[in-house]
Amino acid sequence: MNVQEKRNSDFFLRPRFSIDIKENPDELLQRITTYLKSDVCKYRSRVAERHVFIDIPVKKSHFWSPQLHFEVEKVDENSSTLKGLFGPKPQVWTLFMFVHFVVATLFLGFAVFAYVKHRLGESLIFPIAILVALPLIWLLLYFLGSIGKETGKGQMKELHDLLITIIEQ
């Protein structure tokens, strides 16, 4: 089978990939679905239209376990493209996005607070200290995400190898 894979940079917390396959998209999706539902497959999975989600088995899963999500896109009658990404479980991703939102909102709020304190001629020590601390928290969140990605890298490779095994059958 003719398979060509493209990946984005490893710098991203949610690595993306694209695989071009010379196979009818409906047949490819059916083959993937059949494999995932078979007794041979030990992974948890869901298929919604052309979107496929594959999770690590519960016994091996931990907080940083990745999830593989890909979509089977039709190029033409005899060609398909799998466009996907590896990312944390939706609950973990939502938690991180919520914390980022809170930090950003606090940053804006304390920037306004610092401006008001400045205009009133009052002490700026507290708002400036918070305005310095919040970007440090953003950096901490980024490094925590990087550590999580590194922790789940083996399982990410495991999911990638599973996908390659399925499409090369």
Side-chain angles (χ1 to χ4, degrees), residues 27-94:
E27 292 173 6
L28 176 62
L29 184 61
Q30 182 59 45
R31 199 160 49 81
I32 291 169
T33 304
T34 302
Y35 182 90
L36 292 173
K37 288 181 179 177
S38 72
D39 292 336
V40 175
C41 185
K42 59 185 177 189
Y43 296 86
R44 298 176 297 146
S45 62
R46 294 175 308 291
V47 178
E49 294 182 18
R50 293 189 172 273
H51 294 268
V52 179
F53 301 88
I54 305 175
D55 292 306
I56 296 294
V58 175
K59 289 181 181 179
K60 293 172 57 179
S61 185
H62 53 77
F63 183 77
W64 295 109
S65 288
Q67 179 184 67
L68 170 58
H69 165 231
F70 63 90
E71 179 181 7
V72 179
E73 291 185 352
K74 179 178 180 177
V75 175
D76 59 41
E77 286 303 315
N78 297 316
S79 297
S80 309
T81 299
L82 295 182
K83 288 192 175 180
L85 65 94
F86 295 96
K89 292 176 270 192
Q91 303 88 330
V92 175
W93 188 250
T94 302

Side-chain angles (χ1 to χ4, degrees), residues 38-166:
S38 72
D39 292 336
V40 175
C41 185
K42 59 185 177 189
Y43 296 86
R44 298 176 297 146
S45 62
R46 294 175 308 291
V47 178
E49 294 182 18
R50 293 189 172 273
H51 294 268
V52 179
F53 301 88
I54 305 175
D55 292 306
I56 296 294
V58 175
K59 289 181 181 179
K60 293 172 57 179
S61 185
H62 53 77
F63 183 77
W64 295 109
S65 288
Q67 179 184 67
L68 170 58
H69 165 231
F70 63 90
E71 179 181 7
V72 179
E73 291 185 352
K74 179 178 180 177
V75 175
D76 59 41
E77 286 303 315
N78 297 316
S79 297
S80 309
T81 299
L82 295 182
K83 288 192 175 180
L85 65 94
F86 295 96
K89 292 176 270 192
Q91 303 88 330
V92 175
W93 188 250
T94 302
L95 172 69
F96 263 74
M97 290 300 99
F98 176 74
V99 173
H100 276 281
F101 174 76
V102 168
V103 170
T105 303
L106 286 172
F107 187 84
L108 291 173
F110 274 96
V112 170
F113 185 54
Y115 174 74
V116 169
K117 288 274 209 180
H118 170 70
R119 294 297 292 170
L120 293 174
E122 296 180 8
S123 172
L124 296 174
I125 294 173
F126 179 68
I128 296 298
I130 297 297
L131 288 174
V132 169
L134 289 171
L136 295 175
I137 293 171
W138 271 325
L139 284 174
L140 176 66
L141 288 172
Y142 176 78
F143 286 117
L144 283 174
S146 296
I147 290 168
K149 178 183 163 191
E150 200 60 39
T151 303
K153 209 168 224 173
Q155 291 179 336
M156 199 181 303
K157 180 171 178 6
E158 188 179 321
L159 290 171
H160 180 266
D161 292 347
L162 171 71
L163 179 61
I164 297 302
T165 300
I166 294 170

Side-chain angles (χ1 to χ4, degrees), residues 12-27:
F12 297 104
L13 291 178
R14 294 176 49 170
R16 297 178 184 278
F17 64 91
S18 175
I19 303 175
D20 297 323
I21 303 171
K22 299 287 185 205
E23 185 175 351
N24 178 284
D26 296 323
E27 292 173 6

